[in-house]
Amino acid sequence: MLAQIKKKIKSSDIYKSIFRHGYEDTQRNRALMVVDNVFLHLHPVRVSRHAVNYGYTWGMGGISFLLFIILTITGVILMFYYRPAAEYAYEDMKYLMNDVPFGALIRNMHRWSAHLMVITVMLHMFRVFLTGSYKPPRQFNWVIGVILLLLTFLLSFTGYLLPWDQLAIWAVTVGTNMARATPFLGHQGPFGPELGMRPDNDIRFLLLGGTQVGPPALLRFYVLHCIFLPLVTAIFLAVHFWRVRKDGGISGPAPKKI
Amino acid sequence: MHNLLKILGNPDNFPIIILLFTVYGFFIYSMKKAKRNDERGVPYEADETDKVQVWPYLVRVEFIAAIAVMVFVLLWSIAFDAPLEEPANPTLTPNPSKAPWYFLGLQEMLVYFDPWIAGVLLPGLIIIGLMAIPYIDINPKGNGYYTFKERKWAITIFAFGFLVLWVLLIFVGTFFRGPGWNFFWPWEEWDPHKVVAITNVDLTELFGIPTYNPNGALNPIASILGGVVVIGYYAILMPLGWLWLKRKMPDFAEKFGLTRYIVTSYLFLTMIALPIKMILRWTLNVKYVWVTPWFNV
Ligand code: HEM
């Protein structure tokens, strides 16, 4: 009975239009599993044996990407409950933590995954360095990686402000105070005053939309955090993965000459 | 002791503990692998250059890793709530106010340099320097396997920058900095009223040349001398290094080229300037090496 239903489903037009093949254990089918799947086809069909070895890559690039996905999903859920205005932001956080079903869990996952992603990206960079994987032909992918590192920091930093609590505004104040000291462009930086920089027209003002971390800064950081930076990161990630493939897959020693 | 527990118990500091263990753990692990490869002559990775199918050999690893990470994040999120403090209050400055943990290294540099250097110039150079690495390091060896012997310089310099100047300073910023960004032992109570006598002097003052004249104006001699020291640091060491390289390793110098050398040595000397300034501060209480009307170094 069950077997019959199964067979019926499997031979229906709908099923066949979605899943093109089963799990037969043949070379050809295994290759098709990868190429026919939009998510898996990021991979080549075959990779060298050492590249699968956990001890070689530490899996940190892949884990960073996984965390980016977790952050996107939990982030979207948080956006349903959060309003980036100074009078609501903190209240919405409280509401999330105390009243929304699983709200605290989602927020915690978002927070801790973000921390973890900063760590895994740094570890990934360290591994790439130690295996010399930035050497030809992968030089440019390393440069893209550095941009991704920077984007990861910026994503984390802009997100830090959104809870709108004491921790948030003061950590961001410490961070953005640096911008005051930018040479030429900050009102406390070398040659800044000489060029007419004041607290209300320098680069920090541009960043915060005010002379201190206030409601306009919250809105700016929110837009950067939820729209601009994730989009840019996704684009650079696409390029990064593409280049990994085009540069011949995971780095490895030159194949032995026979 | 109470304070140490408080720092350790702060859920926002847990990532730093993970960071310390994983970074140093992975470093030891990879150096072990490097040693094995170096002793053997042929890297172990070279035994495994044959191909395997992605389905299932890679996909299954990814799948298991993904599940492990998700379980870990889930358990962590169930166990610890993300902090939510008092509502933002621009009139109430907490002491200490710390940047997010991954920027604590930069905040720590503020002790030794003015914000335009610690907060703008050095972070910019870190990014540029990282991007420059593939174009600076022209050693073709050590591509795609763990080794130390074949890349001694590259690994030593990078490990110093990353493990000491970046990660260790994050650790210091978390565990050893309290109110007023003063130094506290991790087990010491944070005393917001701790007064640290500021006895810092400028480098020229150590040689009896005051930075400011009695009428408060900047002493041009001190300013010029300071400039000589800072510019001389680059202007003398950079050519010296180049001559040394040409004498000792003429073939390498030829291949490396002058442009690459100038970029590399500038980045390297700037990186080393940080520990130099730190040591000057600890031993001689040096505040500034070079004071000018526009900026101080
Ligand atoms: C958002 C952050 C990042 C993500 C999600 C990411 C993802 C990945 C993935 C999945 C791979 C495949 C190999 C592996 O898993 O190790 C990879 C390879 C690579 N990544 Fe990244 N990466 C990121 C940041 C970086 C950074 C910061 C750098 C360096 C500064 C970098 C440089 C490279 C290079 C050179 C490769 C090729 C390595 C090889 O062939 O062995 N990436 N990346």
Side-chain angles (χ1 to χ4, degrees):
Chain A
M1 175 67 178
L2 270 179
Q4 237 174 3
I5 297 179
K6 193 172 163 201
K7 198 163 157 230
K8 191 122 196 166
I9 292 177
K10 279 206 152 179
S11 57
S12 73
D13 284 349
I14 299 181
Y15 184 91
K16 278 198 294 189
S17 71
I18 303 175
F19 304 104
R20 303 229 176 254
H21 34 77
Y23 287 91
E24 294 126 86
D25 202 355
T26 61
Q27 284 263 7
R28 189 186 118 80
N29 192 57
R30 285 173 167 189
L32 284 177
M33 286 308 280
V34 174
V35 216
D36 280 3
N37 183 307
V38 67
F39 302 108
L40 293 179
H41 95 285
L42 220 53
H43 299 101
V45 170
R46 297 184 305 147
V47 292
S48 48
R49 193 141 52 88
H50 83 276
V52 202
N53 183 344
Y54 225 73
Y56 182 71
T57 65
W58 309 345
M60 282 306 154
I63 293 177
S64 307
F65 185 50
L66 172 71
L67 289 167
F68 182 73
I69 296 171
I70 296 179
L71 285 163
T72 310
I73 296 172
T74 52
V76 168
I77 300 176
L78 290 176
M79 282 173 77
F80 293 145
Y81 295 97
Y82 177 84
R83 287 165 293 175
E87 57 276 43
Y88 299 129
Y90 184 77
E91 293 310 315
D92 289 347
M93 280 335 255
K94 277 273 183 233
Y95 179 54
L96 257 167
M97 288 308 274
N98 299 325
D99 296 320
V100 177
F102 297 105
L105 182 72
I106 297 291
R107 173 168 178 241
N108 294 347
M109 281 181 72
H110 196 75
R111 173 76 154 230
W112 301 140
S113 305
H115 281 326
L116 208 55
M117 182 170 165
V118 174
I119 297 177
T120 57
V121 171
M122 294 196 313
L123 283 173
H124 171 57
M125 179 184 78
F126 198 34
R127 177 304 274 185
V128 170
F129 185 88
L130 288 173
T131 55
S133 306
Y134 57 83
K135 301 192 175 199
R138 295 184 183 77
Q139 301 105 312
F140 191 62
N141 213 13
W142 168 275
V143 176
I144 293 173
V146 176
I147 295 172
L148 282 169
L149 176 76
L150 187 65
L151 286 168
T152 309
F153 282 139
L154 290 178
L155 271 167
S156 190
F157 185 66
T158 48
Y160 220 89
L161 183 64
L162 304 184
W164 205 242
D165 62 350
Q166 280 289 72
L167 193 65
I169 65 161
W170 291 103
V172 170
T173 301
V174 170
T176 49
N177 275 350
M178 303 290 157
R180 286 207 279 239
T182 313
F184 307 110
L185 299 176
H187 73 274
Q188 288 177 356
F191 308 110
E194 284 80 356
L195 288 174
M197 288 300 157
R198 282 173 282 119
D200 60 355
N201 69 355
D202 68 349
I203 184 157
R204 179 169 174 274
F205 187 83
L206 181 74
L207 189 68
L208 295 179
T211 51
Q212 53 170 312
V213 179
L218 180 60
L219 186 56
R220 274 179 201 206
F221 274 45
Y222 175 80
V223 173
L224 290 175
H225 184 77
C226 300
I227 298 169
F228 182 71
L229 291 171
L231 257 177
V232 177
T233 308
I235 293 170
F236 275 96
L237 279 177
V239 180
H240 193 58
F241 297 157
W242 173 256
R243 296 286 304 217
V244 173
R245 285 289 303 273
K246 290 291 148 182
D247 294 341
I250 301 293
S251 59
K256 262 180 273 184
K257 299 202 179 64
I258 309 162
Chain B
M1 214 56 214
H2 172 73
N3 200 44
L4 179 62
L5 292 179
K6 211 162 79 192
I7 299 177
L8 285 176
N10 177 350
D12 248 353
N13 286 342
F14 183 52
I16 299 171
I17 312 217
I18 303 182
L19 174 79
L20 290 175
F21 277 100
T22 48
V23 167
Y24 294 110
F26 274 135
F27 183 60
I28 294 168
Y29 172 68
S30 52
M31 284 301 106
K32 277 202 177 126
K33 285 188 115 165
K35 187 154 167 263
R36 272 192 350 182
N37 280 345
D38 289 343
E39 278 164 3
R40 184 169 181 243
V42 183
Y44 280 90
E45 285 89 346
D47 299 352
E48 301 188 339
T49 47
D50 54 318
K51 301 273 180 175
V52 293
Q53 296 247 273
V54 161
W55 182 284
Y57 295 102
L58 177 57
V59 175
R60 75 173 174 206
V61 182
E62 290 175 344
F63 187 64
I64 293 171
I67 290 182
V69 171
M70 288 195 277
V71 168
F72 179 72
V73 170
L74 200 63
L75 290 180
W76 185 3
S77 305
I78 291 171
F80 296 107
D81 271 346
L84 187 61
E85 300 190 348
E86 299 296 304
N89 181 352
T91 56
L92 191 73
T93 315
N95 189 5
S97 352
K98 292 193 180 184
W101 62 267
Y102 37 85
F103 288 151
L104 284 183
L106 302 178
Q107 201 177 356
E108 180 66 20
M109 296 198 305
L110 278 173
V111 176
Y112 307 98
F113 288 109
D114 277 1
W116 73 275
I117 300 184
V120 184
L121 183 72
L122 291 179
L125 285 178
I126 292 174
I127 296 293
I128 293 174
L130 280 174
M131 288 185 178
I133 285 176
Y135 307 100
I136 285 174
D137 178 8
I138 55 166
N139 173 6
K141 280 188 275 184
N143 182 348
Y145 51 93
Y146 288 94
T147 173
F148 180 73
K149 208 169 68 185
E150 296 172 13
R151 307 169 56 207
K152 283 192 200 96
W153 282 97
I155 291 186
T156 311
I157 295 172
F158 190 85
F160 179 71
F162 182 61
L163 299 179
V164 179
L165 296 184
W166 185 255
V167 178
L168 200 66
L169 287 191
I170 290 177
F171 173 65
V172 169
T174 312
F175 287 93
F176 293 88
R177 292 296 183 182
W181 206 254
N182 283 322
F183 183 93
F184 288 89
W185 291 106
W187 48 87
E188 214 180 328
E189 281 314 308
W190 283 359
D191 170 11
H193 306 295
K194 175 168 172 172
V195 180
V196 180
I198 299 185
T199 50
N200 291 342
V201 293
D202 298 325
L203 188 68
T204 47
E205 291 176 325
L206 286 178
F207 298 97
I209 304 166
T211 313
Y212 293 97
N213 288 329
N215 62 7
L218 185 68
N219 176 0
I221 300 179
S223 188
I224 290 170
L225 279 180
V228 168
V229 173
V230 172
I231 295 171
Y233 172 70
Y234 292 101
I236 294 176
L237 290 181
M238 278 165 75
L240 268 187
W242 180 242
L243 293 179
W244 180 82
L245 209 61
K246 280 198 113 160
R247 161 100 39 96
K248 293 280 179 194
M249 296 183 252
D251 295 346
F252 176 74
E254 179 75 25
K255 253 200 297 176
F256 201 55
L258 191 57
T259 319
R260 213 181 253 120
Y261 173 78
I262 291 173
V263 175
T264 314
S265 57
Y266 173 70
L267 290 170
F268 179 72
L269 286 175
T270 308
M271 175 170 126
I272 295 301
L274 175 63
I276 291 180
K277 186 86 191 271
M278 291 169 112
I279 291 171
L280 282 178
R281 175 67 58 82
W282 297 332
T283 54
L284 300 172
N285 289 319
V286 171
K287 183 164 167 56
Y288 292 125
V289 175
W290 183 14
V291 179
T292 76
W294 309 280
F295 59 86
N296 307 317
V297 178

